[in-house]
Amino acid sequence: MPRVVPDQRSKFENEEFFRKLSRECEIKYTGFRDRPHDERQMRFQNACRDGRSEIVCLKAPMILNGVCVIWKGWIDLQRLDGMGCLEFDEDRAQQEDALAQQAFEDARRRARDFEERERSHREDMEVHQRVTGLEEAVNGALQRRQDPSPGSNLGSGDELKLR
């Protein structure tokens, strides 16, 4: 299953979702809302230091709704808010397009190989059925030659008159 859509740039430029997020907008850290502000600051700062913050780093590449983007922005560690936006990631989009194209070609090749094996198998089965049918016909003909029909061993009517 491809990770990206076929025309990423078009989706990024034309969908309202991406157009809205591509303009710089306000962001806020929303973790631990039930805790006091100073505890939220401490938890956010510790999470940033430990590399496990719920907020992504200031420049984070990702695939969002099948489109390669980079989230860029900043967060004030005291106020726990900032600004950020999405940008189209052209380089990563090209890489992902190449991977998707390769996956598509691999799937098409596997399907073609499967169909070829199926066709070959069907042909082999048809040949086998024809050969089996011919063998049965030949065996039947041979059997009829060896076992004449009943009453044929009496001979013709002319032979009976001579005796």
Side-chain angles (χ1 to χ4, degrees):
M1 177 83 168
R3 297 169 6 145
V4 294
V5 296
D7 190 359
Q8 296 180 62
R9 179 172 290 285
S10 176
K11 183 171 181 171
F12 182 80
E13 291 173 349
N14 296 318
E15 281 193 9
E16 181 63 28
F17 173 76
F18 287 108
R19 283 197 312 233
K20 188 174 183 180
L21 293 176
S22 66
R23 294 185 293 270
E24 194 168 72
C25 58
E26 184 178 326
I27 57 173
K28 292 185 180 196
Y29 175 70
T30 58
F32 307 101
R33 283 187 162 174
D34 60 330
R35 311 306 301 162
H37 186 76
D38 58 335
E39 183 178 341
R40 291 179 67 230
Q41 284 176 324
M42 180 188 66
R43 286 180 183 254
F44 177 72
Q45 291 170 6
N46 287 337
C48 286
R49 279 191 220 86
D50 294 344
R52 58 177 176 80
S53 174
E54 294 175 21
I55 300 291
V56 291
C57 61
L58 296 178
K59 182 178 178 183
M62 66 183 89
I63 298 174
L64 181 62
N65 291 354
V67 178
C68 293
V69 295
I70 299 173
W71 182 86
K72 290 183 178 181
W74 56 271
I75 296 176
D76 183 297
L77 293 177
Q78 300 302 312
R79 293 189 334 247
L80 300 179
D81 64 4
M83 300 294 281
C85 66
L86 291 178
E87 294 179 358
F88 182 68
D89 189 348
E90 183 69 43
D91 294 336
R92 181 102 184 268
Q94 289 176 359
Q95 292 171 355
E96 289 292 333
D97 283 342
L99 289 172
Q101 183 64 30
Q102 183 63 43
F104 177 74
E105 292 297 327
D106 290 346
R108 187 169 29 186
R109 180 187 45 78
R110 286 192 304 274
R112 194 172 40 243
D113 291 348
F114 176 77
E115 289 168 357
E116 177 62 29
R117 284 192 307 272
E118 282 293 307
R119 186 187 58 74
S120 177
H121 178 70
R122 275 194 311 275
E123 289 173 355
D124 290 348
M125 291 304 292
E126 289 172 3
V127 168
H128 177 71
Q129 288 173 347
R130 280 190 225 128
V131 167
T132 301
L134 286 175
E135 286 175 347
E136 289 173 355
V138 168
N139 287 339
L142 288 175
Q143 199 171 32
R144 282 190 299 277
R145 275 189 152 179
Q146 291 173 356
D147 294 334
S149 61
S152 65
N153 59 354
L154 296 176
S156 68
D158 294 336
E159 288 178 2
L160 290 175
K161 289 181 187 176
L162 293 176
R163 288 191 194 165

